[in-house]
């Protein structure tokens, strides 16, 4: 994700999916077994950050953010479950007057990307919500998705409530339409006053705030709120550690001045040494979107909000005032300008290399960070070094594939791009073949089936229903009354509090429809689409106050 805190996702597992001239070099541990003409090449990693500078705004804009991010196939061929990278994204932390005098990491990160625990991955990215409770105690990636898949230890799997009656949320991540290639995916988080402040949390005299940080989307086929973090997701640990009370996103505003980065943890690479003693490297074909002008537009309209943008109108509505339209009041919005520069720490190194053995790509040899206007950032490319593939709706820039490790004038080492005819044959690099990973049948995501569980009591009112997604998986879902969905039954709410929440959500369902803008629209580019199979229509009689909940995701039989 972006800087999506990928470090907290499930650990290294799976296969490295490339082969050398018919000689497999991937195993359960991803170990290299060189063979044939690829003798001498060894497995490596391309990883690091692309840093995007954006200007600061006043601290009063502390009620969330939105932005548009290009969605595209970063790799030409999905290489297997070790691949982990975000597309550009951000970390939204609570705003503090002074940092707490103890370790405290907690934020909303997530975004578009690929993760090691993605079971139904393709070249097309997916979206996760990426809420991190204090110091990774738990995390929540969407309704029914959290830290691990052990339902006896939910650890965030009940941290997000489904809000939209029109969008399914698979536990593997929110799918984009297959083949998405450079279109802009609009998303953001704003707080809604759906619940009330509580003086007691999990039976302890610890306050839980009233902020329900809600994910809003702006895509070509869906617009509006989808799901929200329950305040208890943030405050649950405060009931055990009162030092956390009042410091988390259930009660604090957001820091409007966020880092904007693209975090990559693993792209396949191989290294080899020539007879001259020089080290060479090759990366799997890695791509960026490319418009008709040969430019990559990556991020657009990064915006921060004050309470005037949405909170004030919704709060007045819930207290008896006129209905709030849901459309952002742009008088409560401020745009972050792009100065047009940024850094890159993408580096190539052997598996397990120490930090001092990790050397950066000479990124500016082929990519120039650029502000195309005050509010649009991307890259201009040196096409004498980078390549352009395709045309029309899916034109891509392919990064240089081969590199030589050289000393710069200040005697530090750097990977300089080179042509294939400059690579010594004895390195074995040109004999490497990168192939698309052939997925076996992944383990299904299955929610609790115990008849006494919160999934069954009071349980759904309609279903089961099934749809096949573009990633080849099949999801099973049911319709639940909003307040009876499992997340709400695990949100430290009384029956009376859940019913009050139900009444507020029914107002939203009646007045906020999916075919109009909520977030300010983009001024450049074309909007991406969600996987059309995720868009559903409530059954007759369930149009207001009911939501679809995915209970299973499995491979198509």
């Amino acid at each position: 994700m972006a800087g999506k805190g990928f470090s907290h996702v499930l650990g290294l597992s799976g296969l490295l999916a490339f082969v050398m001239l018919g000689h497999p070099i991937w195993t359960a541990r991803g170990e290299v077994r060189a063979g044939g003409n690829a003798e001498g090449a060894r497995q490596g990693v391309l990883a690091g950050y692309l840093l995007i500078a954006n200007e600061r705004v006043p601290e009063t804009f502390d009620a969330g953010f939105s932005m548009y991010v290009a969605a595209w196939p970063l790799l030409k061929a999905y290489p297997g479950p070790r691949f982990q990278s975000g597309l550009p994204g951000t970390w939204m932390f609570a705003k503090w007057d002074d940092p707490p005098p103890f370790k405290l990491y907690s934020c909303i990160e997530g975004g578009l990307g690929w993760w090691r625990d993605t079971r139904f991955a393709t070249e097309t990215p997916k979206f996760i919500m990426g809420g991190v409770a204090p110091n990774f105690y738990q995390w929540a990636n969407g309704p029914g998705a959290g830290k691990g898949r052990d339902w006896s230890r939910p650890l965030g799997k009940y941290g997000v409530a489904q809000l939209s009656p029109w969008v399914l949320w698979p536990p593997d991540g929110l799918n984009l339409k297959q083949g998405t290639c450079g279109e802009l995916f609009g998303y953001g988080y704003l707080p809604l006053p759906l619940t009330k402040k509580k003086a007691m949390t999990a039976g302890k005299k610890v306050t839980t705030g009233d902020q329900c940080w809600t994910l809003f989307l702006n895509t070509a086929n869906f617009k509006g709120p989808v799901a929200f973090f329950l305040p208890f997701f943030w405050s649950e640990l405060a009931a055990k550690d009162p030092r956390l009370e009042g410091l988390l996103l259930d009660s604090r505003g957001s820091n409007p001045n966020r880092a904007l980065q693209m975090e990559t943890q693993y792209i396949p690479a191989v290294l080899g040494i020539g007879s001259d003693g020089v080290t060479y490297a090759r990366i799997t074909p890695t791509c960026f979107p490319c418009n008709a002008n040969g430019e990559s537009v990556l991020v657009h309209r990064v915006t921060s909000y004050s309470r005037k943008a949405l909170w004030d109108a919704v709060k007045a509505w819930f207290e008896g005032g006129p209905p709030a339209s849901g459309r952002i009041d742009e008088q409560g919005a401020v745009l972050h300008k792009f100065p047009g520069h940024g850094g890159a720490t993408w580096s190539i190194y052997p598996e397990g290399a120490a930090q001092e053995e990790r050397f950066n790509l000479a990124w500016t040899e082929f990519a120039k960070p650029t502000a195309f206007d005050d509010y649009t950032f991307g890259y201009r490319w040196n096409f004498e070094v980078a390549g352009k593939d395709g045309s029309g709706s899916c034109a891509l820039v392919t990064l240089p594939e081969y590199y030589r490790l050289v000393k710069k004038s200040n005697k530090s080492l750097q990977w300089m791009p080179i042509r294939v005819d400059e690579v010594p044959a004895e390195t074995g690099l040109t004999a490497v073949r990168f192939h698309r990973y052939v997925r076996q049948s992944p383990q299904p995501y299955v929610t609790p089936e115990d008849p006494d569980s919160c999934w069954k009591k009071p349980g759904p009112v309609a279903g089961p229903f099934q749809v096949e997604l573009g990633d080849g998986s099949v999801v099973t879902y049911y319709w639940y009354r909003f307040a009876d969905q499992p997340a709400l039954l695990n949100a430290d709410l009384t029956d009376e509090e859940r019913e009050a929440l139900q009444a507020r959500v029914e107002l939203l369902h009646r007045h906020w429809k999916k075919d109009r803008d909520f977030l300010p629209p983009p001024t450049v580019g074309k909007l991406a689409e969600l996987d059309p199979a995720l868009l559903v229509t409530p059954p007759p009689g369930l149009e207001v106050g009911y939501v679809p909940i995915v209970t299973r995701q499995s491979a198509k039989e």
Side-chain angles (χ1 to χ4, degrees):
M1 98 239 110
K4 298 180 178 134
F6 286 153
S7 54
H8 75 261
V9 197
L10 293 184
L12 294 173
S13 62
L15 306 179
L16 174 62
F18 57 82
V19 299
M20 291 184 175
L21 240 53
H23 297 267
I25 63 164
W26 46 272
T27 70
R29 295 182 180 178
E31 297 168 346
V32 172
R33 274 192 262 145
N37 295 330
E39 193 84 39
R42 60 174 177 152
Q43 182 177 320
V45 174
L46 170 64
Y49 292 81
L50 302 183
L51 314 176
I52 302 169
N54 64 111
E55 294 184 356
R56 297 177 65 85
V57 299
E59 294 288 327
T60 51
F61 289 89
D62 61 356
F65 76 93
S66 69
M67 62 183 178
Y68 292 87
V69 177
W72 78 92
L74 180 61
L75 302 187
K76 283 190 177 179
Y78 176 68
R82 287 197 64 191
F83 173 39
Q84 184 157 296
S85 181
L87 299 180
T90 192
W91 297 259
M92 188 180 81
F93 293 92
K95 185 177 72 173
W96 301 318
D97 299 326
D98 297 295
F102 53 87
K103 180 183 177 183
L104 177 54
Y105 183 100
S106 181
C107 66
I108 295 174
E109 33 190 81
L112 293 167
W114 300 259
W115 302 272
R116 293 190 182 104
D117 60 346
T118 304
R119 297 185 186 178
F120 302 97
T122 68
E123 287 81 5
T124 300
K126 298 187 180 190
F127 180 90
I128 62 171
M129 291 177 69
V132 178
N135 301 327
F136 300 105
Y137 165 71
Q138 57 181 351
W139 57 77
N141 289 335
K147 187 176 182 178
R149 299 306 304 172
D150 180 1
W151 282 97
S152 67
R153 300 175 67 245
L155 295 178
K157 291 187 281 294
Y158 292 126
V160 173
Q162 175 80 20
L163 179 58
S164 175
W166 299 296
V167 177
L168 296 176
W169 193 289
D172 201 46
L174 189 69
N175 296 51
L176 274 63
K177 183 179 179 180
Q178 289 295 305
T180 297
C181 191
E183 296 88 348
L184 296 174
F185 182 83
Y187 77 98
Y189 292 91
L190 291 93
L192 293 179
L194 300 175
T195 59
K196 294 184 177 181
K197 186 176 179 179
K198 294 166 58 74
M200 301 286 289
T201 300
K204 303 292 181 62
K205 289 185 178 181
V206 169
T207 300
T208 292
D210 60 353
Q211 296 184 152
C212 296
W213 289 94
T214 303
L215 171 67
F216 284 78
L217 297 182
N218 192 11
T219 69
N221 56 353
F222 176 83
K223 304 175 189 294
V226 179
F228 63 91
F229 291 100
L230 290 153
F232 184 56
F233 171 73
W234 309 107
S235 66
E236 181 178 1
L237 193 59
K240 301 176 183 178
D241 184 354
R243 297 180 305 164
L244 301 172
E245 183 179 13
L247 294 178
L248 304 171
L249 285 168
D250 61 297
S251 54
R252 287 269 176 172
S254 58
N255 186 337
N257 295 302
R258 301 167 303 277
L260 183 58
Q261 301 178 6
M262 178 170 162
E263 179 184 354
T264 296
Q265 285 203 356
Y266 178 86
I267 287 175
V270 286
L271 297 92
I273 299 176
S275 57
D276 55 2
V278 174
T279 303
Y280 296 80
R282 182 181 179 186
I283 63 172
T284 191
T286 302
C287 306
F288 283 73
C290 184
N291 63 20
N293 297 322
E295 302 163 341
S296 292
V297 172
L298 298 189
V299 188
H300 176 62
R301 287 184 68 94
V302 176
T303 310
S304 289
Y305 299 105
S306 72
R307 300 273 163 168
K308 186 176 181 179
L310 189 60
W311 175 278
D312 290 348
V314 175
K315 186 173 178 60
W317 178 24
F318 288 165
E319 292 174 352
S325 70
R327 186 182 179 94
I328 298 297
D329 182 347
E330 294 197 50
Q331 293 186 38
V334 61
L335 285 157
H336 295 250
K337 288 186 176 181
F338 291 112
H341 57 80
T345 69
W346 272 20
S347 58
I348 302 173
Y349 52 89
E351 286 280 357
Q355 194 63 42
E356 60 270 18
E357 300 176 73
R358 303 181 181 191
F359 304 110
N360 288 356
L361 271 65
W363 183 259
T364 56
E365 290 289 315
F366 49 85
K368 180 182 179 181
T370 303
F372 299 114
D373 57 49
D374 283 347
Y375 309 119
T376 307
F377 175 89
Y379 293 106
R380 285 195 171 98
W381 302 94
N382 176 0
F383 287 108
E384 293 183 2
V385 182
K388 185 176 179 181
D389 299 306
S391 60
S393 62
C394 196
L396 295 168
V397 173
T398 303
L399 300 190
E401 199 167 328
Y402 296 94
Y403 299 84
R404 178 192 291 121
L405 191 60
V406 301
K407 279 189 178 182
K408 293 168 35 180
S409 58
N410 62 4
K411 298 186 179 179
S412 63
L413 292 170
Q414 192 174 42
W415 290 103
M416 293 293 292
I418 58 174
R419 302 185 310 272
V420 62
D421 60 12
E422 298 178 81
V423 180
E426 66 269 18
T427 64
L429 300 186
T430 59
V432 172
R433 297 293 179 265
F434 297 96
H435 288 287
R436 191 174 193 269
Y437 176 73
V438 179
R439 184 175 66 201
Q440 307 302 315
S441 293
Q443 288 293 314
Y445 294 102
V446 181
T447 54
E449 297 178 329
D450 184 339
D452 293 323
S453 76
C454 60
W455 294 81
K456 306 297 183 182
K457 288 187 176 181
V461 297
F465 302 93
Q466 285 190 334
V467 294
E468 182 180 339
L469 305 184
D471 63 8
S473 69
V474 175
V475 296
T476 302
Y477 68 99
Y478 293 80
W479 289 88
Y480 285 75
R481 185 169 179 264
F482 171 82
D484 294 336
Q485 64 178 290
L488 268 294
L489 299 176
N490 287 272
D492 193 38
L493 298 172
T494 65
D495 290 347
E496 182 181 5
E497 289 166 338
R498 285 191 302 109
E499 290 308 313
L501 177 55
Q502 175 78 22
R504 292 183 171 187
V505 168
E506 289 182 7
L507 289 176
L508 298 183
H509 285 181
R510 286 191 176 94
H511 291 273
W512 290 9
K513 303 304 180 183
K514 59 185 169 83
D515 55 355
R516 58 184 178 81
D517 286 327
F518 290 79
L519 300 176
T523 58
V524 302
K526 179 181 177 182
L527 286 174
E529 294 183 41
L530 297 181
D531 184 335
L534 295 178
L535 303 180
V536 295
T537 301
L542 305 183
E543 296 89 350
V544 173
Y546 295 85
V547 291
I549 301 293
V550 174
T551 61
R552 179 183 176 90
Q553 184 174 12
S554 59
K556 181 182 177 182
E557 295 181 358

